[in-house]
Amino acid sequence: MTDLTHSFMDFSLPKIMAVLNITPDSFSDGGAFYAGNSQPDLSRVLNRVDLMLSEGAHLIDVGGESTRPGAEPVSPEEELARVLPVVEAIVSRFDVPVSVDTSTPTVISEAARAGASMINDVRALRRPGALTAAAASGLPVCLMHMLGEPQHMQLNPGYVDIAADVKTFLLERIAACEAAGIPRSRILIDPGFGFGKTLQHNLILFRSLPELVDLGFPVIVGVSRKSLVGAILDKPVEERMVGSIALGMLAIQRGVKVLRVHDISATADALKILQAVEG
Ligand code: 9MG
């Protein structure tokens, strides 16, 4: 592990993972850093990262394939062309760990070579070749639960027992990682709020967060601006910041170590308040 990765894996205090989508179509910030023809707009990206760091981000999560409900998959070549220049530019300019939001084996391998510090996979390394690429990268991995694929995941998702099903899935993926040579010390887990889940599923899962925390792996949660916040508040995406932060703080109180967020400064303030009260 590099020093950056090592420092990121210290979870004595909660961490902020800042979302940086290099896509034309992500649900709340699509297109902001995408210049068309697979090209990221690097000067805008670097300005944004500079701001993210000044606001309190601990980790930058770079993604080149939208995972919003209904999103179409992109080719590995297209994803690589969006993500790789961005990872290279960030690591050469800033002293901040970069995670790469990808399920694609070539992107995992190339991102690791370019200096990424973590792989964040919404498919929990289930794409053929992903486990092997992640093991060879030597990087920590975040295994997230998703039912189905983004294109169809919100069409009538069903579970026997959402909390137990998600836990069983994550335990199976942890076992697959260990069998592929990824040690437990490099595994983080994420229940995947909004990924193939109704509002009721999300709420039951949220209440069961302490059970996931008890598995002993750092837990990441992403609720920022998601439709579950919109459904509770009956608000559009641009009015979900306060609800997202409230939910984020409840997650931290339940033992979550990393929040994946869009609104960094406000999340950092909320964390400071929580930490001041809780000591
Ligand atoms: C990429 N991505 C979108 N939402 C996410 C979430 O909730 N968790 C993680 N780990 N990644 C996410």
Side-chain angles (χ1 to χ4, degrees), residues 17 19 21 27 61 63 65 67-68 101-102 118 120-122 142-144 189-195 220-224 226 260:
M17 178 191 219
V19 177
N21 286 321
F27 83 108
D61 191 39
E65 179 180 23
T67 51
R68 70 176 164 76
D101 151 22
T102 186
M118 190 178 91
N120 173 32
D121 187 3
V122 298
C142 173
L143 306 172
M144 199 198 79
I189 56 174
D190 185 326
F193 288 108
F195 284 83
I220 297 188
V221 152
V223 289
S224 180
K226 284 190 180 170
R260 184 180 183 275

Side-chain angles (χ1 to χ4, degrees), residues 150-173:
Q151 263 174 309
H152 307 295
M153 67 188 177
Q154 289 307 101
L155 303 177
N156 203 19
Y159 297 87
V160 176
D161 170 340
I162 172 85
D165 291 1
V166 168
K167 187 169 160 182
T168 303
F169 169 87
L170 290 172
L171 286 171
E172 280 169 11
R173 295 314 298 158

Side-chain angles (χ1 to χ4, degrees), residues 7-259:
S7 69
F8 170 68
M9 293 295 280
D10 168 9
F11 296 109
S12 42
L13 287 176
K15 300 246 155 122
I16 297 177
M17 178 191 219
V19 177
L20 186 66
N21 286 321
I22 315 297
T23 54
D25 59 343
S26 284
F27 83 108
S28 90
D29 55 357
F33 308 105
Y34 181 75
N37 293 329
S38 313
Q39 294 303 306
D41 184 335
L42 288 182
S43 71
R44 291 189 76 182
V45 164
L46 291 176
N47 284 338
R48 177 74 182 128
V49 172
D50 204 15
L51 182 65
M52 287 168 154
L53 296 180
S54 69
E55 289 183 344
H58 302 106
L59 174 75
I60 313 292
D61 191 39
V62 177
E65 179 180 23
S66 174
T67 51
R68 70 176 164 76
E72 297 286 335
V74 297
S75 69
E77 295 74 25
E78 169 80 18
E79 192 188 344
L80 201 57
R82 293 178 186 179
V83 164
L84 202 59
V86 170
V87 175
E88 286 168 347
I90 298 174
V91 299
S92 66
R93 169 86 176 269
F94 300 104
D95 204 18
V96 62
V98 173
S99 65
V100 178
D101 151 22
T102 186
S103 305
T104 309
T106 49
V107 178
I108 294 174
S109 307
E110 292 301 317
R113 246 191 293 278
S117 290
M118 190 178 91
I119 303 302
N120 173 32
D121 187 3
V122 298
R123 295 178 182 79
L125 302 174
R126 282 177 293 161
R127 271 201 183 145
L131 261 180
T132 311
S137 77
L139 295 179
V141 294
C142 173
L143 306 172
M144 199 198 79
H145 175 272
M146 170 167 64
L147 185 68
E149 280 290 314
Q151 263 174 309
H152 307 295
M153 67 188 177
Q154 289 307 101
L155 303 177
N156 203 19
Y159 297 87
V160 176
D161 170 340
I162 172 85
D165 291 1
V166 168
K167 187 169 160 182
T168 303
F169 169 87
L170 290 172
L171 286 171
E172 280 169 11
R173 295 314 298 158
I174 290 164
C177 282
E178 288 192 272
I182 302 173
R184 294 171 79 82
S185 59
R186 290 216 294 263
I187 296 175
L188 301 91
I189 56 174
D190 185 326
F193 288 108
F195 284 83
K197 293 157 186 104
T198 63
L199 174 60
Q200 281 314 311
H201 292 144
N202 284 311
L203 290 174
I204 296 167
L205 193 55
F206 200 94
R207 291 179 200 120
S208 80
L209 275 173
E211 279 176 49
L212 285 187
V213 169
D214 283 349
L215 293 178
F217 297 87
V219 176
I220 297 188
V221 152
V223 289
S224 180
R225 302 184 186 172
K226 284 190 180 170
S227 60
L228 79 142
V229 178
I232 296 169
L233 300 179
D234 191 20
K235 290 203 161 161
V237 68
E238 60 279 6
E239 293 174 30
R240 294 178 190 165
M241 183 180 84
V242 175
S244 304
I245 291 173
L247 214 43
M249 294 309 110
L250 289 169
I252 297 291
Q253 284 190 314
R254 283 157 179 73
V256 164
K257 297 296 183 197
V258 183
L259 293 179

